[in-house]
Amino acid sequence: MEINKSYQACSNSSSNSLPEGSNLFDGVDLENLGKDWIPECPDRSKPRMGQRFSDLDQGYIFYKEYGRQSGFDVRRSTEKSDRFGNTITKYYVCSRSGRLEDKNLDENTKRRRTISTKCECHAELVLGIHDGGGFFVKKFTEAHNHPFAGKGGMQFLRCSRSLSDFHMRFIVDASKSNIGASRAFTILKSMIGSYEDIGATVVDFKNFSRDIKKHIGKHDADMIIQKFKDIQDSSDPHFRFE
């Protein structure tokens, strides 16, 4: 079996947007599509047979991070339960596993450009319940039948798009200085060094900023009233408002 190594995994180079004429698999030999692809990333990030996790969530987070570093998305799949309804086996697969169902699509249907198009990839992580508690890696299929996200595409993977507490605080602090979400994203990129290392996209920043403004808008009146009460109770007892 011929094995192709993808050196795009764990790459530090990035781009905020894809240049015209480029694609999400820049730097990958598309002629090898359909052969087996093995991601290159640190051994500590790879699942190993017998590896134990305290629960299924911990196992999923580990596999998701492995996929993020390697350039592919993962998703939860089927599971097996005992007669009491307790999960005894859980499957996590590459997001490109399965077959694309296009029976409901027609020629005029527009499809969003996406990295994770299904192509019957068989890469998976199977966790089984452990007698000593928790779960262990029962099966790990490392090979994929497709190349991974290229330099400009890794930041758009679902597993790379999540706002951390740091991101949220940064957006809120920036808004206090009258700095919008797009500008905050650019500033953070300058601080970190690359768009890929931010861990989210400018759209994620804008959406969070929008949600915050929407939430604050509903409570503006209460906030103002409370502020007036604080002034009245503490700094200025002669202050009055209606």
Side-chain angles (χ1 to χ4, degrees):
M1 179 173 63
E2 186 175 355
I3 301 294
N4 291 295
K5 297 278 188 174
S6 174
Y7 54 85
Q8 295 298 340
C10 307
S11 172
N12 291 322
S13 58
S14 63
S15 172
N16 183 40
S17 58
L18 296 176
E20 185 176 356
S22 66
N23 60 64
L24 295 172
F25 299 116
D26 284 341
V28 175
D29 184 4
L30 294 181
E31 292 182 359
N32 288 315
L33 187 66
K35 298 181 181 180
D36 287 330
W37 294 77
I38 303 295
E40 286 187 355
C41 67
D43 289 340
R44 65 180 180 274
S45 299
K46 290 185 178 183
R48 62 184 185 276
M49 294 297 295
Q51 182 177 1
R52 292 181 61 178
F53 300 101
S54 60
D55 53 38
L56 291 175
D57 286 337
Q58 187 184 54
Y60 175 67
I61 291 172
F62 185 89
Y63 192 50
K64 183 179 178 181
E65 175 60 19
Y66 165 68
R68 186 191 70 81
Q69 294 185 31
S70 302
F72 68 93
D73 272 320
V74 304
R75 61 181 172 84
R76 295 180 175 89
S77 188
T78 58
E79 63 181 46
K80 295 180 181 178
S81 303
D82 60 19
R83 60 193 182 93
F84 301 106
N86 300 313
T87 301
I88 57 176
T89 305
K90 182 66 181 180
Y91 295 81
Y92 302 101
V93 299
C94 171
S95 65
R96 302 188 67 180
S97 68
R99 183 175 300 175
L100 182 64
E101 295 290 342
D102 56 1
K103 60 184 179 181
N104 295 323
L105 301 180
D106 55 41
E107 296 179 354
N108 298 321
T109 301
K110 293 184 178 180
R111 183 179 300 166
R112 294 182 61 186
R113 193 182 187 192
T114 176
I115 296 173
S116 301
T117 301
K118 293 182 179 180
C119 61
E120 300 185 53
C121 180
H122 297 294
E124 65 177 353
L125 177 72
V126 183
L127 300 183
I129 193 168
H130 195 278
D131 293 337
F135 293 81
F136 72 101
V137 176
K138 189 175 182 179
K139 180 182 178 182
F140 173 47
T141 304
E142 188 176 12
H144 296 249
N145 67 350
H146 57 85
F148 308 112
K151 296 179 181 179
M154 290 183 68
Q155 61 175 308
F156 298 104
L157 292 168
R158 292 191 191 95
C159 56
S160 296
R161 298 181 58 178
S162 60
L163 290 179
S164 65
D165 291 340
F166 168 75
H167 291 135
M168 296 177 186
R169 288 196 301 269
F170 189 84
I171 296 171
V172 172
D173 290 342
S175 66
K176 293 178 181 178
S177 301
N178 202 28
I179 298 175
S182 297
R183 179 60 178 164
F185 183 81
T186 302
I187 293 174
L188 186 58
K189 179 264 178 184
S190 300
M191 294 169 58
I192 293 179
S194 70
Y195 289 111
E196 183 177 303
D197 292 333
I198 291 178
T201 67
V202 65
V203 174
D204 298 322
F205 271 52
K206 288 181 178 180
N207 289 342
F208 178 74
S209 179
R210 176 203 61 201
D211 293 341
I212 286 295
K213 291 177 180 177
K214 184 178 180 181
H215 175 76
I216 292 177
K218 293 181 179 179
H219 302 283
D220 270 345
D222 292 337
M223 292 172 63
I224 294 173
I225 292 174
Q226 185 60 49
K227 184 175 182 179
F228 285 167
K229 286 183 178 179
D230 292 340
I231 295 174
Q232 186 179 45
D233 295 340
S234 58
S235 61
D236 189 356
H238 300 292
F239 179 81
R240 295 288 184 272
F241 70 95
E242 295 182 0

